[in-house]
Amino acid sequence: MRIRATFLALFCAVLFVSTASAGEVHEYRLHNGMKVFVKEDHRAPVVASMVWYRVGSSYEHSGITGISHMLEHMMFKGTDKYGPGEFSRIIAENGGKENAFTSRDYTAYFQRLQKDRLEISMKMEADRMRHLKVLDKEFAKENQVVMEERRMRTEDNPEAVTYENFNAIAQLTSPYHWPVIGWMNDIKHLTAQDIRDWYRIWYAPNNASLVVAGDVDPDAVFAMAKKYFGPLKPMADLTPPKPAAEINNWVNVASPSRCRPNSPI
């Protein structure tokens, strides 16, 4: 469930332009810590709903790189209420479109539907926030999908390989060092239990924001959010990763006093 950065940028730009003149953003917060943002735009009877989680590849460490992206794929594999692929099927049956994307600092899921279908997506999104089922057989299949995705988009693309290596050299100590999709060796050795553990830590209402834009009433959206997301328990020991400052050796290497020690300063 991946979309290219160019498409993501276009989507965000269109969403911004379509709502820029529609008035203020209404901000709310549920008792469990989840933030809710609502932007009205009554020009068309449609709505876009997104759930953003504050976790991405920069939260990972060596050995499990790519796990945030892998979890994004597994989020479509079902819960106790919905089987594998049911989320996407139900959204499509209701005339909607949905997708997801992972970045360095966040993972997000979105649906675009007719305004009277918002409750359908919100109910299912709340369900998979804390009740995802990561089955071993489903993980094994999806793990192969992600490895093939890496082969097609990176390893078989000289330009992508060059950029990946440049990024790894440019950022030596920062977790931005590794690619969002992860190193192939780490992807190969991820397990279903790794995914369950990562999901349990980061996918919680107090680490998420709901963003709704479209032909909606803000208070009605907030009431719906309280109904479906409100009962979810927050993660008590949620601790963000420690900051990792990038070293700045390039400046020292290129300084005139080191390159030309006998020249005047």
Side-chain angles (χ1 to χ4, degrees):
M1 297 291 174
R2 301 283 297 124
I3 56 178
R4 292 187 179 275
T6 51
F7 178 82
L8 170 59
L10 178 61
F11 171 79
C12 292
V14 170
L15 184 61
F16 175 77
V17 171
S18 68
T19 61
S21 61
E24 65 177 322
V25 175
H26 299 263
E27 299 183 24
Y28 308 87
R29 184 186 289 269
L30 300 177
H31 290 303
N32 57 19
M34 185 175 184
K35 296 179 180 178
V36 181
F37 301 90
V38 185
K39 182 83 168 179
E40 294 181 79
D41 186 341
H42 301 290
R43 293 179 294 174
V46 296
V47 63
S49 177
M50 302 186 73
V51 173
W52 297 74
Y53 293 94
R54 288 186 295 273
V55 63
S57 61
S58 68
Y59 286 61
E60 300 164 1
H61 56 77
S62 182
I64 62 165
T65 64
I67 194 171
S68 298
H69 172 252
M70 188 70 224
L71 175 53
E72 176 215 312
H73 278 245
M74 294 306 299
M75 283 287 281
F76 295 86
K77 296 303 179 179
T79 65
D80 289 330
K81 292 183 179 179
Y82 305 99
E86 285 290 289
F87 190 107
S88 299
R89 181 186 64 79
I90 292 171
I91 293 297
E93 285 182 350
N94 282 275
K97 294 184 178 181
E98 46 79 47
N99 214 318
F101 51 89
T102 305
S103 186
R104 289 185 169 96
D105 301 305
Y106 52 78
T107 309
Y109 303 83
F110 70 86
Q111 301 85 43
R112 285 172 287 175
L113 304 119
Q114 186 178 356
K115 65 176 183 179
D116 61 0
R117 298 293 195 272
L118 175 61
E119 189 167 9
I120 294 172
S121 66
M122 196 175 290
K123 177 173 64 177
M124 293 193 298
E125 200 69 85
D127 181 54
R128 68 177 177 177
M129 177 178 281
R130 297 300 276 169
H131 303 107
L132 182 69
K133 288 181 67 176
V134 181
L135 301 176
D136 290 348
K137 63 178 182 179
E138 293 295 335
F139 169 79
K141 290 189 294 185
E142 205 60 30
N143 187 248
Q144 294 297 316
V145 170
V146 172
M147 285 192 286
E148 184 60 25
E149 180 182 337
R150 179 178 166 81
R151 293 187 191 100
M152 292 177 61
R153 294 189 175 182
T154 302
E155 297 180 357
D156 292 342
N157 183 337
E159 183 178 346
V161 171
T162 301
Y163 175 79
E164 185 177 85
N165 281 276
F166 172 82
N167 186 71
I169 294 172
Q171 302 183 91
L172 299 177
T173 60
S174 166
Y176 282 22
H177 171 88
W178 39 76
V180 173
I181 197 170
W183 302 120
M184 180 63 87
N185 188 63
D186 288 348
I187 299 171
K188 287 180 179 179
H189 290 91
L190 286 175
T191 68
Q193 189 57 49
D194 291 332
I195 302 299
R196 296 184 194 109
D197 292 340
W198 199 249
Y199 171 78
R200 180 188 59 81
I201 294 171
W202 298 111
Y203 278 51
N206 54 325
N207 196 47
S209 296
L210 171 67
V211 180
V212 177
D215 189 13
V216 295
D217 173 74
D219 291 335
V221 171
F222 181 54
M224 196 182 299
K226 286 196 293 184
K227 177 181 178 181
Y228 291 109
F229 291 99
L232 302 179
K233 294 182 179 180
M235 187 65 184
D237 56 347
L238 188 66
T239 304
K242 295 181 179 179
E246 185 57 68
I247 59 175
N248 197 20
N249 283 344
W250 295 105
V251 174
N252 293 330
V253 170
S255 65
S257 61
R258 296 178 70 88
C259 294
R260 295 179 289 122
N262 295 324
S263 54
I265 297 177

